[in-house]
Amino acid sequence: MSAEQKAAELGLNFEPIEPGYLNLCIRTGNLLMTSGHVSDQKGRLGENVSLEEGIAAARDCAVKILRSVRDEHGTLDGLRVIKLLGCVNSTPDFTDQHLVINGASDLFHELYGKTGDGYHARSALGFAALPTGVAVEVEAIFEIIDA
């Protein structure tokens, strides 16, 4: 089953994107590089956002990334997930940023395979604050493997 088919099976819908202030996804050569995509969830992990809410927020970021990638590339098929950078708005004593960002990684694994094109490099970092007080921000790099 293709990534497009899996996304549809998961109930993911991707509306077209109106151009904004910044480019949400840009192609350079055979790479698609996304801007940071933020969660709708606001707050700080370790303070007023639970781990489960943080994981859902990271998944929300991944869905938004897929929308931007699909808008630029025209499809979710023919891609390999190369790298994720996950930023978690968290207290100094919160140390489970990696578990939060699993919410994004797990969605990419569902669509592209955990040992195949979805097997990616990743960083998960804690931040004292993120823009507009969001809980999570994620950016990604994809390789176009089937043009």
Side-chain angles (χ1 to χ4, degrees):
M1 187 181 305
S2 72
E4 280 283 331
Q5 292 168 324
K6 289 176 188 174
E9 190 174 87
L10 291 171
L12 302 179
N13 297 308
F14 305 105
E15 297 296 321
I17 298 173
E18 292 294 322
Y21 181 71
L22 298 173
N23 195 342
L24 296 175
C25 180
I26 191 165
R27 181 177 178 163
T28 179
N30 68 337
L31 297 178
L32 296 170
M33 304 181 79
T34 73
S35 293
H37 287 63
V38 299
S39 64
D40 291 335
Q41 175 75 52
K42 302 242 181 182
R44 295 178 81 196
L45 279 288
E47 184 176 282
N48 57 3
V49 177
S50 71
L51 178 60
E52 293 75 23
E53 290 171 321
I55 291 168
R59 182 181 175 90
D60 177 44
C61 294
V63 170
K64 291 174 181 177
I65 286 170
L66 290 169
R67 179 181 178 211
S68 295
V69 165
R70 189 173 187 275
D71 191 72
E72 174 65 28
H73 185 57
T75 181
L76 297 178
D77 295 337
L79 299 175
R80 178 178 172 219
V81 186
I82 300 296
K83 171 80 169 146
L84 295 185
L85 170 62
C87 308
V88 180
N89 186 354
S90 54
T91 61
D93 60 334
F94 183 83
T95 59
D96 286 334
Q97 289 84 359
H98 62 293
L99 297 178
V100 171
I101 302 306
N102 282 350
S105 291
D106 289 346
L107 179 57
F108 293 130
H109 290 159
E110 285 182 74
L111 295 181
Y112 296 101
K114 190 169 181 178
T115 59
D117 292 331
Y119 190 58
H120 54 272
R122 187 185 83 183
S123 299
L125 305 172
F127 287 79
L130 291 174
T132 69
V134 298
V136 180
E137 181 173 348
V138 179
E139 66 180 48
I141 301 171
F142 293 79
E143 179 184 21
I144 301 168
I145 56 175
D146 184 26

